[in-house]
Amino acid sequence: LTVVFSIACTPARLPTMENTTVNASASTTSSSSQEISPETANFTPQGIIAKKRSNISPHTSQEIAWFIHQFMQGNVKDYQMSAWLMAICLNGMDEEETAALTEAMVQSGDVMDWPKHEIGGEELPHKVDKHSTGGVGDKVSLILAPLVASFGLLVPMMAGRGLGHTGGTIDKLESIPGFRTQYSADEFANLL
């Protein structure tokens, strides 16, 4: 979904991305199914697409959550998602819709959450990330992440592969003989 959304929307409209938690012990659970409730019983992909296309009123958080969940389950087709994303690009989203879409995207998969850590006795509540949509050189990501980590900040950087003709950061790193890019959730947490 992230790739589809980032291709279809301009960066100004692109939000950042189950309350499934992967902690330091890295236990994971899979996405739970969304129950059909009275609020969502009458939702259809066509209705949600038409609502955004006509832009008469904003989507509710329930509509967005339902649409994303149904897409992840394979019940909303790729062409329907494309039509909805085009309607979003043409008509935009308000702040509530953007927040709801971000939350729905988070809920669509597993969330990794690592414990807080300290530097010099001070607890650091944040992890940092520098994400990129790709490009020919990957000139910033490959340099900035280790530089920031050298200051003691956690940089649980996740990167993409197969992002068009230039390849993703992972494609480039995998071209280095012996460079390992695949880690289990436990290994990833331990590396941090």
Side-chain angles (χ1 to χ4, degrees), residues 36-179:
I36 295 178
S37 66
E39 296 88 26
T40 63
N42 295 321
F43 291 169
T44 64
Q46 298 87 342
I48 289 175
I49 294 164
K51 183 175 182 178
K52 181 46 73 177
R53 188 184 62 226
S54 65
N55 207 27
I56 294 170
S57 64
H59 282 307
T60 66
S61 60
Q62 292 87 3
E63 289 170 328
I64 292 171
W66 180 87
F67 196 78
I68 297 300
H69 178 76
Q70 294 302 313
F71 178 72
M72 297 304 295
Q73 298 298 311
N75 299 324
V76 169
K77 305 299 181 210
D78 289 347
Y79 63 86
Q80 292 171 313
M81 177 58 77
S82 296
W84 185 63
L85 293 173
M86 180 59 71
I88 289 171
C89 286
L90 293 173
N91 296 317
M93 295 183 110
D94 65 21
E95 288 182 18
E96 289 80 18
E97 287 176 305
T98 302
L101 178 58
T102 302
E103 181 64 23
M105 291 172 74
V106 167
Q107 299 299 324
S108 72
D110 296 333
V111 175
M112 296 184 146
D113 188 20
W114 296 280
K116 295 179 179 175
H117 70 290
E118 293 184 6
I119 293 180
E122 182 180 340
E123 188 175 277
L124 298 175
H126 302 291
K127 287 73 176 176
V128 295
D129 182 38
K130 185 273 175 199
H131 192 72
S132 169
T133 57
V136 174
D138 273 333
K139 297 169 285 301
V140 177
S141 299
L142 295 176
I143 297 166
L144 187 63
L147 178 65
V148 171
S150 75
F151 289 98
L153 294 173
L154 292 182
V155 187
M157 194 164 167
M158 295 185 190
R161 70 166 30 97
L163 301 174
H165 73 283
T166 64
T169 303
I170 296 298
D171 297 312
K172 293 172 181 76
L173 292 173
E174 285 178 334
S175 70
I176 300 170
F179 196 95

Side-chain angles (χ1 to χ4, degrees), residues 18-22 26-34 69 72-73 105-112 185:
E18 223 109 343
N19 289 330
T20 302
T21 299
V22 179
S27 62
T28 61
T29 57
S30 60
S31 301
S32 63
S33 61
Q34 183 176 346
H69 178 76
M72 297 304 295
Q73 298 298 311
M105 291 172 74
V106 167
Q107 299 299 324
S108 72
D110 296 333
V111 175
M112 296 184 146

